Amino acid sequence: SDARIDDLGTPALKIRRGLLLTGELNYTFADTRTQLFAGNLLEDFIRYDITTQVGIRQELADKSVISASHLFSGFTTNVWEDPYLIGADRVETERESTGARLAWSNIADSLWNIKLSHRTYRIDNERSGESQGLSDEEMQLLKRNGNLLQMSVEHQWNISRQHILVPSLVYAQFDLSGEAMSYDSASVHLSYRYHYQRFSVVSNLYFSSASFDAVHPVFNEKRDMDTLGVSFSVFYRQPWGLKGWSMMAGIGYYDANDKIDFFNTQLVNSNVSMVYRF
C-alpha cells in the first residue's frame, strides 16, 4: 500500500515493476540417485512462493523421492514498521524467514506427494500499533514475529499424456507472538496442466479460509479472512529456435476478503519471462 494513509479505512495503492531471477541448480549422482539442489522451484514461483531452498533429494527403489531442505529469504520482503500509522509516511522494515522442509514425492509410485514445512519469521523493527496509543499488552497482541507450520497433500492425475490435474489440500498454522495476528487456515489448490508440442499451459485455482485467535485491539474485532486466487501461464519452448530456452507469459488475480476492511487485499499481476534449462 502507499506509504501514507489518512485513515484506517481508505484503500491504498502501490504499483511496482521489477526483474526477478528464479531457478534451481542441481547435481545428481547417477549411481546412488542422490541429488543436491539450490534455488526456488518454477512451480512455486507460479504460485507466488519465492522462498529459496538448499537441500538434498534421494530417489528410492520404488521410484519415490524423499527430500530435506533449508528454507530462507532469498529475496527481501518489506513490511511497515507500524502499519496503522495515519497522517504521516510509514517506514519500511525487512521481514526475514528461515526454516526447513521435508517432502515425499510419488509415494510408492502412486503420484501422491506430501510436504511439511516450518518457518520462523522475524521483523527487524516491529512497532505495530505504536501510533494508536495502545497499552503494552495491546501492542503485544499485534506482534508479527513467530512461526509457520504448513502441511500439504497432493495427488497428480495423468488424465492423458496432454492433460494433468493436481488437486492439493494445505493446512497452515501461524503461531505468532501476537495472538491477534495468529491464525489457522485450510486451503484447497487445483492445478491443471496441458502440454501440446512446444506449448504448455498451467492454470491454478486457490481458495483458503483463515480464523484468527484474538480480537484486534485497533479495530476491536476478531479477524476472519477468505482468499481466492487464480493464475494462468503459457510456456512456449525454443522461441526463435533458441535451444534450452522457453518463454513464459502469465496473468494472475488474488483477492483476500477480511472481516476487517483494513486488511482487504487485491492483486492483479501479469508477467513475461524467459526460462533457461541446462
Side-chain angles (χ1 to χ4, degrees):
S1 59
D2 290 327
R4 181 188 176 103
I5 56 175
D6 294 322
D7 62 70
L8 296 179
T10 302
L13 174 67
K14 175 176 286 187
I15 299 175
R16 286 186 172 177
R17 302 174 179 86
L19 176 66
L20 178 65
L21 180 64
T22 181
E24 179 183 292
L25 293 175
N26 57 62
Y27 182 83
T28 303
F29 297 90
D31 293 341
T32 62
R33 302 304 297 164
T34 303
Q35 184 181 85
L36 305 178
F37 64 92
N40 33 54
L41 299 177
L42 183 60
E43 51 263 40
D44 287 341
F45 170 67
I46 293 173
R47 296 175 180 176
Y48 303 110
D49 183 355
I50 53 175
T51 299
T52 302
Q53 55 180 346
V54 176
I56 184 171
R57 298 187 182 105
Q58 178 63 55
E59 183 179 274
L60 305 180
D62 61 0
K63 300 302 180 181
S64 65
V65 177
I66 57 174
S67 65
S69 57
H70 170 64
L71 307 177
F72 61 96
S73 301
F75 300 92
T76 300
T77 299
N78 291 324
V79 298
W80 302 119
E81 291 183 356
D82 181 3
Y84 314 103
L85 174 65
I86 58 176
D89 286 350
R90 294 177 290 182
V91 178
E92 290 185 354
T93 187
E94 291 188 2
R95 185 186 72 178
E96 299 177 348
S97 69
T98 58
R101 174 181 289 168
L102 298 175
W104 190 7
S105 304
N106 194 29
I107 300 171
D109 200 21
S110 65
L111 298 182
W112 283 93
N113 306 314
I114 296 176
K115 290 181 183 179
L116 179 65
S117 301
H118 181 273
R119 306 183 199 184
T120 297
Y121 290 91
R122 185 180 65 83
I123 294 175
D124 285 350
N125 194 13
E126 172 62 278
R127 300 174 62 185
S128 291
E130 186 177 285
S131 61
Q132 297 297 311
L134 302 178
S135 65
D136 291 341
E137 291 78 9
E138 289 173 325
M139 288 183 60
Q140 179 61 40
L141 293 172
L142 301 178
K143 299 294 185 183
R144 294 166 290 175
N145 298 311
N147 301 304
L148 164 63
L149 179 65
Q150 187 175 60
M151 184 179 71
S152 66
V153 179
E154 69 177 32
H155 180 65
Q156 178 175 313
W157 269 294
N158 296 326
I159 302 171
S160 68
R161 293 182 62 183
Q162 294 177 322
H163 302 274
I164 299 173
L165 196 63
V166 185
S168 61
L169 299 175
V170 181
Y171 170 75
Q173 182 183 63
F174 274 86
D175 183 17
L176 305 182
S177 300
E179 290 187 15
M181 307 304 292
S182 299
Y183 64 88
D184 295 343
S185 73
S187 60
V188 178
H189 298 211
L190 183 62
S191 179
Y192 168 72
R193 306 167 190 172
Y194 172 74
H195 304 285
Y196 179 72
Q197 295 180 356
R198 292 163 66 183
F199 285 93
S200 294
V201 175
V202 179
S203 58
N204 293 284
L205 177 64
Y206 167 87
F207 175 78
S208 73
S209 181
S211 178
F212 287 74
D213 293 349
V215 171
H216 197 289
V218 175
F219 301 97
N220 297 314
E221 191 173 7
K222 185 184 291 188
R223 296 177 58 191
D224 287 307
M225 182 173 62
D226 293 330
T227 303
L228 175 67
V230 293
S231 66
F232 181 84
S233 301
V234 178
F235 294 84
Y236 179 60
R237 288 177 288 279
Q238 296 187 22
W240 307 293
L242 297 174
K243 293 184 178 181
W245 285 93
S246 295
M247 176 178 285
M248 182 184 79
I251 187 169
Y253 173 76
Y254 173 96
D255 183 13
N257 185 22
D258 199 288
K259 189 175 182 181
I260 299 175
D261 290 344
F262 178 76
F263 296 100
N264 287 343
T265 303
Q266 287 186 332
L267 167 69
V268 176
N269 173 57
S270 61
N271 64 83
V272 176
S273 308
M274 292 294 292
V275 181
Y276 182 66
R277 297 181 183 273
F278 59 92

